[in-house]
Amino acid sequence: MPFPLVFTPCHPECVRTRDARWGIDRVVVHTAEGSYKGTISWFQRSAKERNASYAAATHYVLARTGEVTQMAQESARLIHAGSKSQAGWNDRSIGIELEAWSGTAKPPSSIKFPVRDFPEAQIQSLAEIIHGICTRHNIPMDRTHIVGHGEIPGQTHTDPGPTFPWDKLMETLLSLG
């Protein structure tokens, strides 16, 4: 990995205990719809500070440069991938948030990078993180087990969006051995 992994914990409210009925068998790729530093800062806030009913976070946040911050141990249950039609997604998955804007709405002026764009360094780093997760948890490295947030049944999100380079990610991931 070109960048060292930095551990910056998310807010303690974000960390829950996984339901033992579920084993970790999925990796969920998200887009932050914002910046790397802004996403890390957001995940360090309580629900009250966010004016939200619950505090959500992902296990990892990846910058466009390939820099990686881990926000929680992989053993932690984080709220990031809930489904209105299938239980257990937060218990069975590890979430990775990408510094990106994948939405169709015009981004705010604070977004200083190209929209719907995923640089090579970010995809390489993402592949390396996913490879490690899959190896540690014996997760098959395929598109059934590595999914986008919007691919979760009963989900209203669309990220990482139609321009996400799944073929490139899977090719890079499988080339890692």
Side-chain angles (χ1 to χ4, degrees), residues 50-106:
R50 297 179 195 187
N51 196 27
S53 57
Y54 60 89
T58 57
H59 296 82
Y60 296 93
V61 180
L62 274 68
R64 294 173 55 75
T65 61
E67 187 176 353
V68 182
T69 294
Q70 186 174 1
M71 303 293 301
Q73 297 299 320
E74 291 176 2
S75 60
R77 177 184 190 266
L78 300 178
I79 305 299
H80 69 94
S83 168
K84 292 182 171 114
S85 64
Q86 286 186 355
W89 275 91
N90 288 311
D91 289 296
R92 73 187 308 182
S93 64
I94 292 174
I96 304 172
E97 198 84 40
L98 303 177
E99 177 184 36
W101 183 276
S102 67
T104 55
K106 184 178 177 184

Side-chain angles (χ1 to χ4, degrees), residues 10-64:
C10 58
H11 194 279
E13 271 184 26
C14 298
V15 179
R16 317 278 173 82
T17 302
R18 287 189 188 270
D19 185 326
R21 293 177 294 170
W22 299 94
I24 298 171
D25 69 352
R26 297 290 191 277
V27 176
V28 179
V29 178
H30 303 260
T31 53
E33 306 305 313
S35 72
Y36 177 65
K37 290 183 180 188
T39 301
I40 292 167
S41 175
W42 184 253
F43 288 164
Q44 291 179 306
R45 296 179 188 164
S46 69
K48 184 177 180 180
E49 291 170 313
R50 297 179 195 187
N51 196 27
S53 57
Y54 60 89
T58 57
H59 296 82
Y60 296 93
V61 180
L62 274 68
R64 294 173 55 75

